[in-house]
């Protein structure tokens, strides 16, 4: 992948429908840390985000969940801060903070008054290198993440179903391992596991600093050099390579039964290409395809399955194009009370077959583009959303230009582009997983 900084110390002002007014300045520190400054002077607020190019898909085998575990541990103490002091200081200064982990990144953020940015940088740079952990921290926080899994996954049959489907979809790639971790591995996560991940990936040359809000790029650069620029780069940072998927030669089906399921439904996922730097057109067509097929009451699946045949009470399509490696395109159908999952699946397949045969109108495409354009424009009203957009894209292989060009690329998608993407996606079922989730039969 090419360097996302195609030029240093200058402002990108790309004329796109949604981002024509974005003022984005980029530069790199001498230690390799990349910095993105997004100016928005409408309110005296700033969001600081530090994004690490490492997530759960970068974990070593056998320690699933360690990336998310370390995210929790970073709120423990450092050489200069007591445990919990970081968030308490943010709150005392009228701000909010949090963090999140995904397959391809881990991010930490604070939203505060603009004049508190220096304090945020001081604290965030401190925990990049000075985290202090002991066995008691490991034991207490490990219990926290296990309880989090119990609440979010073990107590949620839909979440358990999605885990099984993901594991079936990815035969070799780490995307088949849940971000929070497999339960049997989480219980054994150790201090050494956490420190190994921390010392490997938490380094300035593996991080992107995104600052959005009422700031001056020169001021941000001075502060970044003062607090982050003095941190040594990790000379042993490993190349970011993952095990890739082999050819998928067989359609897979899963049947998940759980007595807690109140409403049975089916879901099918297809392996699909992600958004790639300099080559986002296929992803744009798939994004529009998901809107055409399954987004909202006027989508084709909704019209055919819910209003015309009344075989479903809900239908949808989803494509998550922001991904470092191959992603998925998903279809979901919740059958009406008197309709079996088998009949609902057949009806869904018939709709897809009819769509591939008949296509869709330019009028429908124009309406969807209007909705997409509006959502892109509205997203600019939130500096947190702007910072998130750039951080996610950059940690997943895109450039600043790619991110700014995205609305224009979506605008250029044609009906023929969408139909070509649909034919490629649905041409064969050997890269798909179809899952049924239903309640267990009760025996007397």
């Amino acid at each position: 992948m090419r360097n996302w900084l195609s030029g240093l110390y200058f402002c990108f002002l790309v004329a796109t429908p949604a981002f024509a007014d974005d003022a984005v300045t980029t530069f790199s520190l001498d230690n390799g840390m990349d910095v993105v400054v997004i100016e928005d002077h409408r309110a005296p607020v700033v969001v600081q985000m530090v994004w690490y190019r490492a997530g759960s898909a970068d974990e070593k085998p056998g320690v699933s969940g360690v990336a998310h575990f370390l995210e929790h541990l970073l709120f423990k103490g450092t050489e200069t801060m007591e445990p919990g002091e970081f968030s308490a200081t943010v709150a005392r200064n009228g701000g909010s903070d949090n963090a999140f982990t995904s397959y391809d990144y881990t991010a930490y953020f604070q939203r505060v008054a603009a004049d508190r940015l220096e304090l945020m940088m001081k604290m965030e740079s401190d925990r990049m290198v000075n985290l202090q952990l002991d066995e008691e921290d490991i034991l207490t926080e490990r219990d926290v993440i296990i309880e989090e899994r119990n609440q979010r996954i073990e107590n949620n049959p839909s979440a358990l179903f999605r885990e099984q489907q993901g594991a079936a979809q990815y035969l070799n790639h780490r995307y088949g391992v849940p971000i929070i971790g497999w339960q049997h591995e989480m219980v054994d996560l150790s201090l050494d596991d956490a420190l190994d991940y921390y010392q490997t990936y938490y380094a300035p040359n593996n991080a992107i600093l995104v600052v959005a809000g009422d700031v001056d790029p020169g001021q941000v650069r001075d502060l970044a050099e003062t607090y982050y620029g003095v941190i040594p780069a990790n000379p042993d940072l490993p190349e970011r390579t993952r095990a890739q998927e082999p050819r998928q030669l067989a359609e897979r089906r899963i049947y998940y039964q759980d007595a807690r399921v109140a409403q049975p439904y089916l879901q099918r996922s297809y392996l699909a290409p992600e958004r790639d730097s300099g080559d986002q057109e296929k992803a744009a067509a798939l994004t529009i395809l998901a809107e055409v097929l399954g987004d909202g009451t006027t989508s084709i699946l909704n019209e055919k399955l819910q209003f015309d045949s009344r075989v479903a009470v809900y239908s949808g399509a989803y494509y998550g194009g922001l991904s470092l490696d191959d992603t998925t395109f998903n279809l979901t159908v919740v059958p009406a009370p008197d309709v079996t999952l088998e009949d609902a699946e057949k009806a869904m397949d018939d709709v897809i077959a009819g769509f591939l045969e008949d296509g869709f109108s330019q009028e429908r495409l124009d309406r969807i583009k209007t909705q997409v354009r509006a959502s892109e424009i509205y997203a600019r009203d939130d500096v947190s959303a702007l910072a998130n957009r750039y951080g996610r894209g950059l940690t997943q292989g895109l450039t600043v230009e790619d991110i700014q060009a995205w609305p224009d690329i979506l605008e250029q998608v044609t009906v023929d582009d969408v139909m070509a993407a649909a034919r490629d996606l649905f041409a064969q079922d050997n890269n798909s997983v179809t899952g049924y989730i239903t309640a267990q039969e009760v025996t007397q």
Side-chain angles (χ1 to χ4, degrees):
M1 296 179 185
R2 62 192 176 96
N3 192 325
W4 63 270
L5 289 173
S6 61
L8 300 181
Y9 312 118
F10 64 92
C11 181
F12 292 100
L13 292 173
V14 179
T16 62
F19 296 114
D21 298 325
D22 279 3
V24 180
T25 303
T26 67
F27 55 90
S28 291
L29 305 181
D30 290 342
N31 57 12
M33 188 174 192
D34 297 320
V35 184
V36 178
V37 183
I38 308 165
E39 293 181 68
D40 185 335
H41 300 288
R42 291 175 293 180
V45 174
V46 66
V47 173
Q48 175 187 235
M49 304 191 78
V50 170
W51 297 74
Y52 293 96
R53 296 183 182 90
S56 66
D58 300 290
E59 297 165 343
K60 294 178 180 177
V63 291
S64 64
V66 71
H68 173 250
F69 185 34
L70 181 60
E71 175 214 309
H72 279 243
L73 291 169
L74 237 70
F75 290 88
K76 299 296 184 180
T78 69
E79 293 177 357
T80 60
M81 289 188 291
E82 295 295 323
E85 184 179 347
F86 189 108
S87 293
T89 302
V90 175
R92 192 166 57 250
N93 282 271
S96 60
D97 73 314
N98 213 326
F100 48 89
T101 304
S102 187
Y103 289 113
D104 298 321
Y105 55 76
T106 310
Y108 301 84
F109 69 90
Q110 305 87 41
R111 181 185 177 100
V112 293
D115 61 0
R116 302 296 195 276
L117 177 60
E118 181 173 7
L119 176 61
M120 298 303 106
M121 283 200 187
K122 180 180 179 180
M123 294 194 299
E124 191 66 80
S125 62
D126 180 36
R127 66 177 175 180
M128 180 181 283
V129 286
N130 294 322
L131 184 64
Q132 299 292 300
L133 298 175
D134 56 29
E135 290 293 346
E136 183 177 352
D137 293 326
I138 296 300
L139 293 175
T140 56
E141 206 60 38
R142 192 170 61 194
D143 286 343
V144 170
I145 63 168
I146 291 172
E147 180 57 26
E148 183 178 343
R149 180 181 168 89
N150 288 336
Q151 292 180 2
R152 295 187 177 183
I153 310 296
E154 300 298 329
N155 290 334
N156 185 337
S158 291
L160 289 169
F161 167 71
R162 289 192 296 270
E163 276 193 347
Q164 296 298 306
Q165 187 175 29
Q169 179 69 80
Y170 290 98
L171 305 178
N172 194 46
H173 197 284
R174 293 286 294 184
Y175 287 169
V177 178
I179 295 169
I180 200 169
W182 294 118
Q183 189 175 50
H184 71 285
E185 293 182 344
M186 293 171 67
V187 297
D188 292 325
L189 290 175
S190 68
L191 176 60
D192 288 342
D193 295 330
L195 290 177
D196 179 62
Y197 193 94
Y198 178 66
Q199 292 165 358
T200 300
Y201 294 113
Y202 280 53
N205 51 324
N206 196 42
I208 302 169
L209 170 65
V210 180
V211 179
D214 188 21
V215 291
D216 172 74
Q219 173 205 17
V220 173
R221 182 179 173 182
D222 289 343
L223 291 174
E225 288 179 339
T226 298
Y227 292 103
Y228 294 104
V230 296
I231 301 173
N234 177 8
D236 300 318
L237 182 68
E239 184 178 353
R240 200 174 195 191
T241 58
R242 278 96 170 266
Q244 297 298 301
E245 282 297 291
R247 287 185 303 152
Q248 296 196 352
L249 304 176
E251 173 189 3
R252 277 135 287 156
R253 304 184 71 86
I254 62 172
Y255 300 89
Y256 180 73
Q257 292 183 319
D258 192 310
R260 298 169 296 179
V261 174
Q263 174 65 67
Y265 65 91
L266 71 93
Q267 187 169 84
R268 182 182 296 159
S269 61
Y270 293 86
L271 208 62
E274 76 282 3
R275 283 171 62 182
D276 287 326
S277 180
D279 184 19
Q280 301 184 85
E281 285 75 16
K282 287 183 180 179
L286 287 168
T287 299
I288 299 297
L289 175 63
E291 299 283 333
V292 171
L293 286 179
D295 186 69
T297 58
T298 60
S299 68
I300 288 176
L301 283 173
N302 189 291
E303 290 176 356
K304 300 295 185 182
L305 298 180
Q306 293 171 243
F307 295 112
D308 293 352
S309 64
R310 298 183 182 275
V311 301
V313 296
Y314 171 81
S315 59
Y318 174 75
Y319 167 69
L322 266 182
S323 177
L324 193 63
D325 298 310
D326 280 349
T327 183
T328 58
F329 188 103
N330 299 279
L331 302 171
T332 302
V333 175
V334 180
D338 58 344
V339 177
T340 66
L341 288 169
E342 291 82 3
D343 287 342
E345 182 183 2
K346 182 180 184 304
M348 179 186 75
D349 286 337
D350 288 345
V351 172
I352 297 300
F355 172 74
L356 293 175
E357 179 70 22
D358 301 332
F360 67 105
S361 68
Q362 181 66 43
E363 180 184 2
R364 186 186 292 270
L365 177 61
D366 291 341
R367 184 171 64 249
I368 288 171
K369 284 184 177 180
T370 298
Q371 295 168 349
V372 170
R373 185 163 56 247
S375 67
E376 295 283 344
I377 292 172
Y378 293 148
R380 296 184 65 247
D381 287 337
D382 184 350
V383 291
S384 296
L386 277 173
N388 194 288
R389 182 188 298 269
Y390 281 92
R392 286 184 65 204
L394 295 171
T395 53
Q396 295 178 295
L398 301 180
T399 68
V400 168
E401 294 117 318
D402 292 326
I403 296 165
Q404 294 189 321
W406 178 244
D408 197 40
I409 292 173
L410 287 172
E411 185 69 24
Q412 294 170 7
V413 171
T414 66
V415 171
D416 289 342
D417 293 334
V418 176
M419 295 309 302
R423 293 187 185 100
D424 287 345
L425 181 71
F426 300 127
Q428 49 189 349
D429 291 327
N430 57 5
N431 67 349
S432 72
V433 178
T434 303
Y436 287 6
I437 175 171
T438 186
Q440 293 175 326
E441 294 183 3
V442 179
T443 57
Q444 301 295 327

